[in-house]
Amino acid sequence: MTTLEDPVRTAKEAIRYCYEQGWTDGLPVVPATVDDVEAFLATTDRDPDEVIGAQEHLNRRVTVRQAAVNAIMAGCEPEYFPVVLAAWDALNGEPSTNGGAWQSTSGPAPLLVVNGPVRQRLGINCAGGVFGPGFRANATIARAIGLIVRNGYGIKPQELEQATQGVPGRWQLLIGENEELSPWEPLSVVGGLEPGVDAVSAMLIRCCEYVDNRHTESAEAVLQDFADSLARIGAYLGLRHSTGGLVLGPEHAALLADAGYGRADVQQWLFEHATRSHAELAAAGKAGGPGGPAETDEAFPMLPSPAEIPVIVAGAANAAISMVFRPFGWATWSGRSVPVRWSAQSRPTTLQEVSP
Amino acid sequence: MFDSIVDPTVGAPGDDRGRTSLATRPARLSGLRLGLLVNTKRNAADFLEELSALLESEYGVTTVLTRTKPSIVHPAPPEMLEEFRGETDVVVVGVGDCGSCSASAVADGLQLEAAGIPAAVICSDAFRVSADAMADLQGTPGYEYVTTAHPVASLSREGVRERAVQALPQIVGMLTRSSAAVAS
């Protein structure tokens, strides 16, 4: 074999070609062929020409086929594609994605949460290192969404996308919920679906902040620790309340559940305790303007309502660590999960559904 | 060599958006009806209010219509455009000072021009790239607009007034220049 015929060399040149076209997010992509696209399209009953997203102001419309091309490029396997479509639909169903979010200076990142047996079937991580990297399905499905926005909508950084700094983990945040270690019903059940249904829930977020509390057996002390991060002034935008959510590590979730807290109780407690005084907001220059605290306010709620504080359980049960996250703008989770739908011939068999 | 690689940018076809011809400019502003299209960004309404006062006192226009867009990202809806068409002679649009609204302000300027109304669009200089990208997307590369220094949102009313004074000559030029405010 001559150097020219070396398939590795050819593969590298194909990747370089994709860079030259401006099709990548900075990392190498898998070049898509027509055969690949057919394999992806076979996993869904949807019309390849169905328009699944539009930015009318940019004159751009994304189709199922185009989503498949970008999912291939992101490194997905064909069987991931129905999850990509569900994730895309879930995002499009969120009011937060319909107001210029993809072009925003905030540079928000999708947080995609997967429930159901699809997690085991596709190897979607919901346990240790859940925020990644290291797991193909998590990494590539999340990345596919970013490539669809880039190549489908034509929204690229420093052009139509005007993120000031962006958000670490953008296009990388797909997590499975650790249903096996969660004391509560799956997020997708909160999102209106039956237990055991494969589903994706989506929101746009601006950051994740860890809360490390291995210091106490008191549920209220741990909740107070969360409330402190949730009430962070830097995340306060004024006008209306922006919100926060929790990805609880299984240890924190168990501690709260053992103390008798359901998900709604946790939300209620956090809403009541994530507060700031007028003086504290004033010291940061943020007390003025409509929707802000009265001068006498000692406990101004920093979150809009208990129901608007999403609570998810994910990660390993090896340390009492959780993550606070921040929905974009004044948005929260819509409370609607989207089921994953396979085509008849690609529907996984019972045998495949057994956890590895 | 790589013709077999599928292009990921090809989706459902967009509308054909040809180059927008600019509306015919009046020789002078005196006696004309001014419209203001506010895009909801902080200080946008104040900025246009200050401009309107200057255009009234120094150039003899009358401000007859002020409308605030329902969406920061989408161009003004058809019924709003119709109001401007029916009631105004020239329109000032602004202030594009964010990721999506600067581009959207350009789209508004172009749709006003297409409706026969001379328009001047104000964007902050930090968002030139997205404003220009929108002009390209709308088939009208080189579309000119007025820039003011970023930031606008954090200015006091006094600061806004100063900016309006600075922008005024360009606004007037853009609304009256017979050579049309777009580079070819």
Side-chain angles (χ1 to χ4, degrees), chain A residues 13-14 23 32 56-57 59-61 63 66 70 73 103 151 158-159 162, chain B residues 2 5-6 8-15 17 73 99 127 129-130 134 138:
Chain A
E13 285 172 2
W23 293 343
E56 292 298 343
H57 65 295
N59 203 16
R60 297 297 286 254
R61 294 161 192 86
T63 60
Q66 193 176 19
N70 284 283
M73 292 172 66
Q103 295 166 255
N151 293 323
Q158 297 186 3
E159 294 178 23
Q162 287 287 316
Chain B
F2 295 114
I5 298 177
V6 183
T9 65
V10 177
D15 311 330
R17 297 192 183 174
V73 63
F127 294 99
V129 175
S130 60
M134 178 56 95
Q138 300 291 340

PDB file of all heavy atoms in Angstrom, chain A residues 13-14 23 32 56-57 59-61 63 66 70 73 103 151 158-159 162, chain B residues 2 5-6 8-15 17 73 99 127 129-130 134 138:
ATOM      1  N   GLU A  13      -7.667  13.451   5.908  1.00  0.00           N
ATOM      2  CA  GLU A  13      -7.930  14.489   4.904  1.00  0.00           C
ATOM      3  C   GLU A  13      -9.427  14.815   4.835  1.00  0.00           C
ATOM      4  O   GLU A  13      -9.815  15.970   4.629  1.00  0.00           O
ATOM      5  CB  GLU A  13      -7.395  14.051   3.539  1.00  0.00           C
ATOM      6  CG  GLU A  13      -5.875  14.170   3.476  1.00  0.00           C
ATOM      7  CD  GLU A  13      -5.289  13.557   2.217  1.00  0.00           C
ATOM      8  OE1 GLU A  13      -6.070  13.072   1.373  1.00  0.00           O
ATOM      9  OE2 GLU A  13      -4.057  13.556   2.094  1.00  0.00           O
ATOM     10  N   ALA A  14     -10.233  13.784   5.014  1.00  0.00           N
ATOM     11  CA  ALA A  14     -11.686  14.017   5.005  1.00  0.00           C
ATOM     12  C   ALA A  14     -12.089  14.897   6.193  1.00  0.00           C
ATOM     13  O   ALA A  14     -12.931  15.790   6.067  1.00  0.00           O
ATOM     14  CB  ALA A  14     -12.429  12.692   5.042  1.00  0.00           C
ATOM     15  N   TRP A  23     -17.672  23.411   9.092  1.00  0.00           N
ATOM     16  CA  TRP A  23     -18.759  22.568   9.596  1.00  0.00           C
ATOM     17  C   TRP A  23     -18.545  22.074  11.025  1.00  0.00           C
ATOM     18  O   TRP A  23     -19.387  21.373  11.552  1.00  0.00           O
ATOM     19  CB  TRP A  23     -18.913  21.331   8.710  1.00  0.00           C
ATOM     20  CG  TRP A  23     -19.396  21.606   7.329  1.00  0.00           C
ATOM     21  CD1 TRP A  23     -20.007  22.731   6.859  1.00  0.00           C
ATOM     22  CD2 TRP A  23     -19.321  20.694   6.219  1.00  0.00           C
ATOM     23  NE1 TRP A  23     -20.320  22.578   5.527  1.00  0.00           N
ATOM     24  CE2 TRP A  23     -19.900  21.349   5.115  1.00  0.00           C
ATOM     25  CE3 TRP A  23     -18.817  19.401   6.048  1.00  0.00           C
ATOM     26  CZ2 TRP A  23     -20.007  20.738   3.846  1.00  0.00           C
ATOM     27  CZ3 TRP A  23     -18.913  18.800   4.805  1.00  0.00           C
ATOM     28  CH2 TRP A  23     -19.499  19.471   3.710  1.00  0.00           C
ATOM     29  N   ALA A  32     -20.034  12.509   7.004  1.00  0.00           N
ATOM     30  CA  ALA A  32     -21.257  11.723   6.777  1.00  0.00           C
ATOM     31  C   ALA A  32     -21.398  11.359   5.302  1.00  0.00           C
ATOM     32  O   ALA A  32     -21.191  12.200   4.430  1.00  0.00           O
ATOM     33  CB  ALA A  32     -22.466  12.537   7.221  1.00  0.00           C
ATOM     34  N   GLU A  56     -37.080  31.607  11.560  1.00  0.00           N
ATOM     35  CA  GLU A  56     -37.643  32.328  10.415  1.00  0.00           C
ATOM     36  C   GLU A  56     -36.906  33.640  10.179  1.00  0.00           C
ATOM     37  O   GLU A  56     -36.737  34.059   9.034  1.00  0.00           O
ATOM     38  CB  GLU A  56     -39.138  32.573  10.619  1.00  0.00           C
ATOM     39  CG  GLU A  56     -39.992  31.304  10.595  1.00  0.00           C
ATOM     40  CD  GLU A  56     -39.939  30.548   9.274  1.00  0.00           C
ATOM     41  OE1 GLU A  56     -39.520  31.138   8.262  1.00  0.00           O
ATOM     42  OE2 GLU A  56     -40.288  29.356   9.252  1.00  0.00           O
ATOM     43  N   HIS A  57     -36.474  34.277  11.259  1.00  0.00           N
ATOM     44  CA  HIS A  57     -35.796  35.566  11.074  1.00  0.00           C
ATOM     45  C   HIS A  57     -34.443  35.390  10.384  1.00  0.00           C
ATOM     46  O   HIS A  57     -33.885  36.342   9.869  1.00  0.00           O
ATOM     47  CB  HIS A  57     -35.661  36.299  12.404  1.00  0.00           C
ATOM     48  CG  HIS A  57     -34.784  35.607  13.401  1.00  0.00           C
ATOM     49  ND1 HIS A  57     -35.099  34.383  13.954  1.00  0.00           N
ATOM     50  CD2 HIS A  57     -33.600  35.960  13.943  1.00  0.00           C
ATOM     51  CE1 HIS A  57     -34.144  34.034  14.804  1.00  0.00           C
ATOM     52  NE2 HIS A  57     -33.222  34.967  14.809  1.00  0.00           N
ATOM     53  N   ASN A  59     -34.161  32.869   8.112  1.00  0.00           N
ATOM     54  CA  ASN A  59     -34.508  32.174   6.871  1.00  0.00           C
ATOM     55  C   ASN A  59     -33.921  30.764   6.848  1.00  0.00           C
ATOM     56  O   ASN A  59     -33.483  30.278   5.808  1.00  0.00           O
ATOM     57  CB  ASN A  59     -34.002  32.999   5.670  1.00  0.00           C
ATOM     58  CG  ASN A  59     -34.769  32.696   4.391  1.00  0.00           C
ATOM     59  OD1 ASN A  59     -35.848  32.105   4.430  1.00  0.00           O
ATOM     60  ND2 ASN A  59     -34.200  33.066   3.254  1.00  0.00           N
ATOM     61  N   ARG A  60     -33.882  30.092   8.013  1.00  0.00           N
ATOM     62  CA  ARG A  60     -33.300  28.749   8.086  1.00  0.00           C
ATOM     63  C   ARG A  60     -34.297  27.765   8.684  1.00  0.00           C
ATOM     64  O   ARG A  60     -34.958  28.076   9.678  1.00  0.00           O
ATOM     65  CB  ARG A  60     -32.029  28.755   8.961  1.00  0.00           C
ATOM     66  CG  ARG A  60     -30.918  29.616   8.409  1.00  0.00           C
ATOM     67  CD  ARG A  60     -30.392  29.147   7.078  1.00  0.00           C
ATOM     68  NE  ARG A  60     -29.573  27.965   7.168  1.00  0.00           N
ATOM     69  CZ  ARG A  60     -28.241  27.955   7.048  1.00  0.00           C
ATOM     70  NH1 ARG A  60     -27.581  29.081   6.846  1.00  0.00           N
ATOM     71  NH2 ARG A  60     -27.556  26.832   7.110  1.00  0.00           N
ATOM     72  N   ARG A  61     -34.370  26.583   8.039  1.00  0.00           N
ATOM     73  CA  ARG A  61     -35.277  25.530   8.500  1.00  0.00           C
ATOM     74  C   ARG A  61     -34.530  24.206   8.515  1.00  0.00           C
ATOM     75  O   ARG A  61     -33.923  23.837   7.509  1.00  0.00           O
ATOM     76  CB  ARG A  61     -36.493  25.439   7.570  1.00  0.00           C
ATOM     77  CG  ARG A  61     -37.372  26.683   7.624  1.00  0.00           C
ATOM     78  CD  ARG A  61     -38.287  26.809   6.422  1.00  0.00           C
ATOM     79  NE  ARG A  61     -38.886  28.145   6.390  1.00  0.00           N
ATOM     80  CZ  ARG A  61     -38.298  29.207   5.818  1.00  0.00           C
ATOM     81  NH1 ARG A  61     -37.151  29.071   5.184  1.00  0.00           N
ATOM     82  NH2 ARG A  61     -38.867  30.384   5.864  1.00  0.00           N
ATOM     83  N   THR A  63     -34.292  20.065   8.841  1.00  0.00           N
ATOM     84  CA  THR A  63     -35.088  18.866   8.585  1.00  0.00           C
ATOM     85  C   THR A  63     -34.543  17.669   9.371  1.00  0.00           C
ATOM     86  O   THR A  63     -33.422  17.707   9.890  1.00  0.00           O
ATOM     87  CB  THR A  63     -35.039  18.492   7.093  1.00  0.00           C
ATOM     88  OG1 THR A  63     -33.667  18.235   6.736  1.00  0.00           O
ATOM     89  CG2 THR A  63     -35.585  19.625   6.223  1.00  0.00           C
ATOM     90  N   GLN A  66     -31.316  16.504   7.842  1.00  0.00           N
ATOM     91  CA  GLN A  66     -30.185  17.359   8.210  1.00  0.00           C
ATOM     92  C   GLN A  66     -29.734  17.083   9.647  1.00  0.00           C
ATOM     93  O   GLN A  66     -28.539  17.091   9.947  1.00  0.00           O
ATOM     94  CB  GLN A  66     -30.617  18.812   8.069  1.00  0.00           C
ATOM     95  CG  GLN A  66     -29.495  19.813   8.115  1.00  0.00           C
ATOM     96  CD  GLN A  66     -30.023  21.209   7.871  1.00  0.00           C
ATOM     97  OE1 GLN A  66     -31.225  21.465   8.017  1.00  0.00           O
ATOM     98  NE2 GLN A  66     -29.151  22.116   7.492  1.00  0.00           N
ATOM     99  N   ASN A  70     -25.908  15.809  10.906  1.00  0.00           N
ATOM    100  CA  ASN A  70     -25.151  16.421  11.999  1.00  0.00           C
ATOM    101  C   ASN A  70     -24.924  15.465  13.164  1.00  0.00           C
ATOM    102  O   ASN A  70     -23.895  15.539  13.839  1.00  0.00           O
ATOM    103  CB  ASN A  70     -25.831  17.716  12.446  1.00  0.00           C
ATOM    104  CG  ASN A  70     -25.564  18.849  11.465  1.00  0.00           C
ATOM    105  OD1 ASN A  70     -24.477  19.427  11.467  1.00  0.00           O
ATOM    106  ND2 ASN A  70     -26.528  19.134  10.597  1.00  0.00           N
ATOM    107  N   MET A  73     -22.016  13.382  12.171  1.00  0.00           N
ATOM    108  CA  MET A  73     -20.781  14.173  12.319  1.00  0.00           C
ATOM    109  C   MET A  73     -20.369  14.301  13.782  1.00  0.00           C
ATOM    110  O   MET A  73     -19.178  14.359  14.103  1.00  0.00           O
ATOM    111  CB  MET A  73     -20.977  15.547  11.692  1.00  0.00           C
ATOM    112  CG  MET A  73     -21.113  15.475  10.175  1.00  0.00           C
ATOM    113  SD  MET A  73     -21.579  17.045   9.423  1.00  0.00           S
ATOM    114  CE  MET A  73     -20.135  18.027   9.777  1.00  0.00           C
ATOM    115  N   GLN A 103     -28.530  33.040  19.911  1.00  0.00           N
ATOM    116  CA  GLN A 103     -27.678  34.169  19.520  1.00  0.00           C
ATOM    117  C   GLN A 103     -27.285  35.019  20.723  1.00  0.00           C
ATOM    118  O   GLN A 103     -26.581  36.009  20.568  1.00  0.00           O
ATOM    119  CB  GLN A 103     -28.439  35.054  18.522  1.00  0.00           C
ATOM    120  CG  GLN A 103     -28.756  34.382  17.199  1.00  0.00           C
ATOM    121  CD  GLN A 103     -29.792  35.172  16.421  1.00  0.00           C
ATOM    122  OE1 GLN A 103     -30.945  34.810  16.335  1.00  0.00           O
ATOM    123  NE2 GLN A 103     -29.351  36.285  15.842  1.00  0.00           N
ATOM    124  N   ASN A 151     -24.788  24.252  12.014  1.00  0.00           N
ATOM    125  CA  ASN A 151     -24.884  23.993  10.574  1.00  0.00           C
ATOM    126  C   ASN A 151     -26.301  24.136  10.034  1.00  0.00           C
ATOM    127  O   ASN A 151     -26.496  24.482   8.873  1.00  0.00           O
ATOM    128  CB  ASN A 151     -24.361  22.587  10.266  1.00  0.00           C
ATOM    129  CG  ASN A 151     -22.867  22.470  10.515  1.00  0.00           C
ATOM    130  OD1 ASN A 151     -22.133  23.410  10.244  1.00  0.00           O
ATOM    131  ND2 ASN A 151     -22.433  21.339  11.047  1.00  0.00           N
ATOM    132  N   GLN A 158     -19.203  34.399  17.344  1.00  0.00           N
ATOM    133  CA  GLN A 158     -18.636  35.648  16.837  1.00  0.00           C
ATOM    134  C   GLN A 158     -19.243  36.072  15.508  1.00  0.00           C
ATOM    135  O   GLN A 158     -18.734  36.969  14.849  1.00  0.00           O
ATOM    136  CB  GLN A 158     -17.103  35.578  16.747  1.00  0.00           C
ATOM    137  CG  GLN A 158     -16.462  35.396  18.108  1.00  0.00           C
ATOM    138  CD  GLN A 158     -14.947  35.467  18.078  1.00  0.00           C
ATOM    139  OE1 GLN A 158     -14.356  35.711  17.041  1.00  0.00           O
ATOM    140  NE2 GLN A 158     -14.340  35.249  19.225  1.00  0.00           N
ATOM    141  N   GLU A 159     -20.315  35.399  15.103  1.00  0.00           N
ATOM    142  CA  GLU A 159     -21.068  35.866  13.943  1.00  0.00           C
ATOM    143  C   GLU A 159     -22.492  36.133  14.437  1.00  0.00           C
ATOM    144  O   GLU A 159     -22.700  37.048  15.207  1.00  0.00           O
ATOM    145  CB  GLU A 159     -20.996  34.838  12.818  1.00  0.00           C
ATOM    146  CG  GLU A 159     -19.556  34.698  12.288  1.00  0.00           C
ATOM    147  CD  GLU A 159     -19.428  33.653  11.208  1.00  0.00           C
ATOM    148  OE1 GLU A 159     -20.429  33.320  10.543  1.00  0.00           O
ATOM    149  OE2 GLU A 159     -18.307  33.150  11.025  1.00  0.00           O
ATOM    150  N   GLN A 162     -23.531  35.575  19.626  1.00  0.00           N
ATOM    151  CA  GLN A 162     -22.799  36.678  20.243  1.00  0.00           C
ATOM    152  C   GLN A 162     -22.514  36.438  21.724  1.00  0.00           C
ATOM    153  O   GLN A 162     -22.552  37.374  22.528  1.00  0.00           O
ATOM    154  CB  GLN A 162     -23.579  37.981  20.044  1.00  0.00           C
ATOM    155  CG  GLN A 162     -23.521  38.514  18.616  1.00  0.00           C
ATOM    156  CD  GLN A 162     -22.157  39.111  18.286  1.00  0.00           C
ATOM    157  OE1 GLN A 162     -21.584  39.840  19.069  1.00  0.00           O
ATOM    158  NE2 GLN A 162     -21.630  38.766  17.122  1.00  0.00           N
TER     159      GLN A 162
ATOM    160  N   PHE B   2     -13.776  14.634  -2.038  1.00  0.00           N
ATOM    161  CA  PHE B   2     -14.692  14.333  -0.935  1.00  0.00           C
ATOM    162  C   PHE B   2     -16.137  14.663  -1.292  1.00  0.00           C
ATOM    163  O   PHE B   2     -16.925  15.060  -0.438  1.00  0.00           O
ATOM    164  CB  PHE B   2     -14.236  15.079   0.320  1.00  0.00           C
ATOM    165  CG  PHE B   2     -12.910  14.595   0.816  1.00  0.00           C
ATOM    166  CD1 PHE B   2     -11.800  15.416   0.790  1.00  0.00           C
ATOM    167  CD2 PHE B   2     -12.766  13.289   1.274  1.00  0.00           C
ATOM    168  CE1 PHE B   2     -10.569  14.961   1.224  1.00  0.00           C
ATOM    169  CE2 PHE B   2     -11.535  12.823   1.721  1.00  0.00           C
ATOM    170  CZ  PHE B   2     -10.431  13.658   1.687  1.00  0.00           C
ATOM    171  N   ILE B   5     -19.089  13.305   0.811  1.00  0.00           N
ATOM    172  CA  ILE B   5     -19.441  13.781   2.158  1.00  0.00           C
ATOM    173  C   ILE B   5     -20.690  14.661   2.061  1.00  0.00           C
ATOM    174  O   ILE B   5     -20.741  15.600   1.262  1.00  0.00           O
ATOM    175  CB  ILE B   5     -18.285  14.586   2.789  1.00  0.00           C
ATOM    176  CG1 ILE B   5     -17.050  13.679   2.937  1.00  0.00           C
ATOM    177  CG2 ILE B   5     -18.691  15.143   4.143  1.00  0.00           C
ATOM    178  CD1 ILE B   5     -15.826  14.399   3.494  1.00  0.00           C
ATOM    179  N   VAL B   6     -21.683  14.343   2.893  1.00  0.00           N
ATOM    180  CA  VAL B   6     -22.950  15.074   2.828  1.00  0.00           C
ATOM    181  C   VAL B   6     -22.799  16.429   3.530  1.00  0.00           C
ATOM    182  O   VAL B   6     -22.265  16.507   4.643  1.00  0.00           O
ATOM    183  CB  VAL B   6     -24.092  14.269   3.488  1.00  0.00           C
ATOM    184  CG1 VAL B   6     -25.416  15.006   3.336  1.00  0.00           C
ATOM    185  CG2 VAL B   6     -24.187  12.875   2.880  1.00  0.00           C
ATOM    186  N   PRO B   8     -23.785  19.294   5.779  1.00  0.00           N
ATOM    187  CA  PRO B   8     -24.721  19.390   6.916  1.00  0.00           C
ATOM    188  C   PRO B   8     -25.499  20.698   6.968  1.00  0.00           C
ATOM    189  O   PRO B   8     -26.352  20.868   7.834  1.00  0.00           O
ATOM    190  CB  PRO B   8     -23.783  19.296   8.118  1.00  0.00           C
ATOM    191  CG  PRO B   8     -22.515  19.936   7.640  1.00  0.00           C
ATOM    192  CD  PRO B   8     -22.389  19.548   6.183  1.00  0.00           C
ATOM    193  N   THR B   9     -25.181  21.610   6.077  1.00  0.00           N
ATOM    194  CA  THR B   9     -25.859  22.916   6.145  1.00  0.00           C
ATOM    195  C   THR B   9     -27.104  22.966   5.266  1.00  0.00           C
ATOM    196  O   THR B   9     -27.823  23.964   5.271  1.00  0.00           O
ATOM    197  CB  THR B   9     -24.911  24.062   5.719  1.00  0.00           C
ATOM    198  OG1 THR B   9     -24.581  23.902   4.332  1.00  0.00           O
ATOM    199  CG2 THR B   9     -23.635  24.061   6.528  1.00  0.00           C
ATOM    200  N   VAL B  10     -27.353  21.901   4.517  1.00  0.00           N
ATOM    201  CA  VAL B  10     -28.491  21.920   3.593  1.00  0.00           C
ATOM    202  C   VAL B  10     -29.748  21.415   4.294  1.00  0.00           C
ATOM    203  O   VAL B  10     -29.837  20.252   4.682  1.00  0.00           O
ATOM    204  CB  VAL B  10     -28.203  21.051   2.351  1.00  0.00           C
ATOM    205  CG1 VAL B  10     -29.420  21.026   1.440  1.00  0.00           C
ATOM    206  CG2 VAL B  10     -26.981  21.562   1.620  1.00  0.00           C
ATOM    207  N   GLY B  11     -30.713  22.306   4.462  1.00  0.00           N
ATOM    208  CA  GLY B  11     -31.985  21.922   5.067  1.00  0.00           C
ATOM    209  C   GLY B  11     -33.128  22.226   4.121  1.00  0.00           C
ATOM    210  O   GLY B  11     -32.947  22.230   2.904  1.00  0.00           O
ATOM    211  N   ALA B  12     -34.300  22.496   4.676  1.00  0.00           N
ATOM    212  CA  ALA B  12     -35.424  22.905   3.835  1.00  0.00           C
ATOM    213  C   ALA B  12     -35.073  24.252   3.220  1.00  0.00           C
ATOM    214  O   ALA B  12     -34.466  25.097   3.878  1.00  0.00           O
ATOM    215  CB  ALA B  12     -36.689  23.008   4.665  1.00  0.00           C
ATOM    216  N   PRO B  13     -35.433  24.442   1.962  1.00  0.00           N
ATOM    217  CA  PRO B  13     -35.042  25.690   1.297  1.00  0.00           C
ATOM    218  C   PRO B  13     -35.638  26.916   1.989  1.00  0.00           C
ATOM    219  O   PRO B  13     -36.773  26.876   2.462  1.00  0.00           O
ATOM    220  CB  PRO B  13     -35.594  25.542  -0.121  1.00  0.00           C
ATOM    221  CG  PRO B  13     -36.570  24.426  -0.063  1.00  0.00           C
ATOM    222  CD  PRO B  13     -36.213  23.566   1.089  1.00  0.00           C
ATOM    223  N   GLY B  14     -34.861  27.991   2.046  1.00  0.00           N
ATOM    224  CA  GLY B  14     -35.372  29.234   2.600  1.00  0.00           C
ATOM    225  C   GLY B  14     -36.121  30.010   1.527  1.00  0.00           C
ATOM    226  O   GLY B  14     -36.170  29.621   0.372  1.00  0.00           O
ATOM    227  N   ASP B  15     -36.707  31.127   1.928  1.00  0.00           N
ATOM    228  CA  ASP B  15     -37.354  32.000   0.945  1.00  0.00           C
ATOM    229  C   ASP B  15     -36.270  32.660   0.114  1.00  0.00           C
ATOM    230  O   ASP B  15     -35.165  32.869   0.577  1.00  0.00           O
ATOM    231  CB  ASP B  15     -38.146  33.125   1.632  1.00  0.00           C
ATOM    232  CG  ASP B  15     -39.033  32.588   2.717  1.00  0.00           C
ATOM    233  OD1 ASP B  15     -39.469  31.429   2.566  1.00  0.00           O
ATOM    234  OD2 ASP B  15     -39.253  33.304   3.710  1.00  0.00           O
ATOM    235  N   ARG B  17     -34.632  35.637  -0.900  1.00  0.00           N
ATOM    236  CA  ARG B  17     -34.602  37.019  -0.417  1.00  0.00           C
ATOM    237  C   ARG B  17     -33.602  37.815  -1.247  1.00  0.00           C
ATOM    238  O   ARG B  17     -32.400  37.778  -1.014  1.00  0.00           O
ATOM    239  CB  ARG B  17     -34.236  37.062   1.065  1.00  0.00           C
ATOM    240  CG  ARG B  17     -35.292  36.349   1.890  1.00  0.00           C
ATOM    241  CD  ARG B  17     -35.179  36.567   3.369  1.00  0.00           C
ATOM    242  NE  ARG B  17     -36.214  35.765   4.030  1.00  0.00           N
ATOM    243  CZ  ARG B  17     -36.329  35.622   5.346  1.00  0.00           C
ATOM    244  NH1 ARG B  17     -35.490  36.202   6.142  1.00  0.00           N
ATOM    245  NH2 ARG B  17     -37.297  34.893   5.860  1.00  0.00           N
ATOM    246  N   VAL B  73     -36.285  39.300  19.112  1.00  0.00           N
ATOM    247  CA  VAL B  73     -35.513  38.587  18.091  1.00  0.00           C
ATOM    248  C   VAL B  73     -36.172  38.627  16.721  1.00  0.00           C
ATOM    249  O   VAL B  73     -35.491  38.600  15.699  1.00  0.00           O
ATOM    250  CB  VAL B  73     -35.257  37.121  18.538  1.00  0.00           C
ATOM    251  CG1 VAL B  73     -36.548  36.366  18.679  1.00  0.00           C
ATOM    252  CG2 VAL B  73     -34.355  36.398  17.554  1.00  0.00           C
ATOM    253  N   GLY B  99     -27.236  40.218  21.404  1.00  0.00           N
ATOM    254  CA  GLY B  99     -26.873  39.175  20.453  1.00  0.00           C
ATOM    255  C   GLY B  99     -27.855  39.024  19.315  1.00  0.00           C
ATOM    256  O   GLY B  99     -27.483  38.951  18.150  1.00  0.00           O
ATOM    257  N   PHE B 127     -21.932  45.012  18.194  1.00  0.00           N
ATOM    258  CA  PHE B 127     -22.715  43.974  17.516  1.00  0.00           C
ATOM    259  C   PHE B 127     -22.737  44.160  16.002  1.00  0.00           C
ATOM    260  O   PHE B 127     -23.632  43.686  15.319  1.00  0.00           O
ATOM    261  CB  PHE B 127     -24.129  43.920  18.099  1.00  0.00           C
ATOM    262  CG  PHE B 127     -24.121  43.463  19.519  1.00  0.00           C
ATOM    263  CD1 PHE B 127     -24.192  44.376  20.556  1.00  0.00           C
ATOM    264  CD2 PHE B 127     -23.980  42.114  19.827  1.00  0.00           C
ATOM    265  CE1 PHE B 127     -24.139  43.957  21.876  1.00  0.00           C
ATOM    266  CE2 PHE B 127     -23.926  41.685  21.144  1.00  0.00           C
ATOM    267  CZ  PHE B 127     -24.008  42.605  22.172  1.00  0.00           C
ATOM    268  N   VAL B 129     -20.916  42.745  13.822  1.00  0.00           N
ATOM    269  CA  VAL B 129     -20.772  41.490  13.073  1.00  0.00           C
ATOM    270  C   VAL B 129     -22.126  40.814  12.877  1.00  0.00           C
ATOM    271  O   VAL B 129     -22.461  40.373  11.774  1.00  0.00           O
ATOM    272  CB  VAL B 129     -19.804  40.532  13.798  1.00  0.00           C
ATOM    273  CG1 VAL B 129     -19.756  39.193  13.076  1.00  0.00           C
ATOM    274  CG2 VAL B 129     -18.406  41.135  13.834  1.00  0.00           C
ATOM    275  N   SER B 130     -22.928  40.749  13.938  1.00  0.00           N
ATOM    276  CA  SER B 130     -24.217  40.070  13.786  1.00  0.00           C
ATOM    277  C   SER B 130     -25.186  40.921  12.960  1.00  0.00           C
ATOM    278  O   SER B 130     -26.008  40.390  12.209  1.00  0.00           O
ATOM    279  CB  SER B 130     -24.822  39.703  15.146  1.00  0.00           C
ATOM    280  OG  SER B 130     -25.028  40.840  15.932  1.00  0.00           O
ATOM    281  N   MET B 134     -26.812  39.651   9.408  1.00  0.00           N
ATOM    282  CA  MET B 134     -28.236  39.686   9.091  1.00  0.00           C
ATOM    283  C   MET B 134     -28.481  40.370   7.748  1.00  0.00           C
ATOM    284  O   MET B 134     -29.296  39.918   6.942  1.00  0.00           O
ATOM    285  CB  MET B 134     -29.023  40.392  10.204  1.00  0.00           C
ATOM    286  CG  MET B 134     -30.505  40.523   9.930  1.00  0.00           C
ATOM    287  SD  MET B 134     -31.324  38.917   9.598  1.00  0.00           S
ATOM    288  CE  MET B 134     -31.924  38.515  11.240  1.00  0.00           C
ATOM    289  N   GLN B 138     -30.363  38.655   4.609  1.00  0.00           N
ATOM    290  CA  GLN B 138     -31.543  39.275   4.004  1.00  0.00           C
ATOM    291  C   GLN B 138     -31.279  39.692   2.559  1.00  0.00           C
ATOM    292  O   GLN B 138     -32.079  40.407   1.957  1.00  0.00           O
ATOM    293  CB  GLN B 138     -31.995  40.500   4.818  1.00  0.00           C
ATOM    294  CG  GLN B 138     -32.358  40.198   6.263  1.00  0.00           C
ATOM    295  CD  GLN B 138     -33.626  39.365   6.400  1.00  0.00           C
ATOM    296  OE1 GLN B 138     -34.436  39.295   5.497  1.00  0.00           O
ATOM    297  NE2 GLN B 138     -33.780  38.701   7.532  1.00  0.00           N
TER     298      GLN B 138
END
